[in-house]
């Protein structure tokens, strides 16, 4: 069984990879109910020139097709946007572990209201990473979250 800290570390590693590639530092990973890693990924909107390639989507795609997503946990460094929250609901992902929601408060309240287990860590290092990124690249950040 993998701990929440260990699962979050996978997503953090992905976020750092995305940042090093010149992208947005958001990472995610999908784990099964036993803590086994199914897939991992990072926001690749810039790198792939693909507006749909959010971190959670990348991790989900890299997990491949699963018979069921019941009991799985989506781990993400940042509160999931509505698009990614919809993915969690659509496929019945049971839990979401969020590194921080200070810099962006996405759809995690809605997920919790609809029966998804939500844990928000509020990791100071992740808040700092996003705060620094937003200050350095505000136009890219606002594009990513769909704001002008």
């Amino acid at each position: 069984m993998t701990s929440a800290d260990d699962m979050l570390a996978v997503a953090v590693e992905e976020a750092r990879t995305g940042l090093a590639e010149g992208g947005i530092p958001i990472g995610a990973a999908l784990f099964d109910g036993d803590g086994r890693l199914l897939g991992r990924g990072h926001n690749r909107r810039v790198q792939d020139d693909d507006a749909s390639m959010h971190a959670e989507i990348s991790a989900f795609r890299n997990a491949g097709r699963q018979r069921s997503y019941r009991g799985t946990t989506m781990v993400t460094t940042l509160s999931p946007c509505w698009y990614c929250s919809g993915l969690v609901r659509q496929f019945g992902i049971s839990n979401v572990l969020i590194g921080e929601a200070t810099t962006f408060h996405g759809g995690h309240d809605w997920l919790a209201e609809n029966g998804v287990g939500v844990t928000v860590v509020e990791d100071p290092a992740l808040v700092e990473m996003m705060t620094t990124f937003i200050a350095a690249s505000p136009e890219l950040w606002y594009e990513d979250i769909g704001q002008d």
Side-chain angles (χ1 to χ4, degrees), residues 74-95:
M74 178 64 76
V75 181
T76 180
T77 57
L78 186 65
S79 178
C81 69
W82 287 108
Y83 170 55
C84 296
S85 294
L87 171 112
V88 168
R89 288 272 301 163
Q90 174 69 31
F91 291 96
I93 293 170
S94 299
N95 303 290

Side-chain angles (χ1 to χ4, degrees), residues 22-106:
I24 298 164
I26 304 169
L30 184 65
F31 291 86
D32 72 9
D34 293 325
R36 184 176 61 91
L37 178 64
L38 299 173
R40 58 192 291 166
H42 52 275
N43 185 303
R44 298 195 49 84
R45 293 181 74 251
V46 173
Q47 299 92 314
D48 294 352
D49 195 29
D50 180 351
S52 71
M53 193 48 77
H54 289 207
E56 297 88 344
I57 305 305
S58 179
F60 183 77
R61 287 180 181 174
N62 288 330
R65 188 172 136 221
Q66 305 294 314
R67 186 178 161 281
S68 171
Y69 296 90
R70 205 173 15 245
T72 61
T73 299
M74 178 64 76
V75 181
T76 180
T77 57
L78 186 65
S79 178
C81 69
W82 287 108
Y83 170 55
C84 296
S85 294
L87 171 112
V88 168
R89 288 272 301 163
Q90 174 69 31
F91 291 96
I93 293 170
S94 299
N95 303 290
V96 178
L97 174 62
I98 301 165
E100 68 103 347
T102 299
T103 60
F104 181 75
H105 193 105

Side-chain angles (χ1 to χ4, degrees), residues 1-12 29 31 35 73-76 96-99 119-121 123 126:
M1 188 81 152
T2 304
S3 74
D5 288 342
D6 291 339
M7 291 191 293
L8 186 56
V10 174
V12 170
F31 291 86
T73 299
M74 178 64 76
V75 181
T76 180
V96 178
L97 174 62
I98 301 165
T119 303
V120 181
V121 175
D123 182 297
L126 290 174

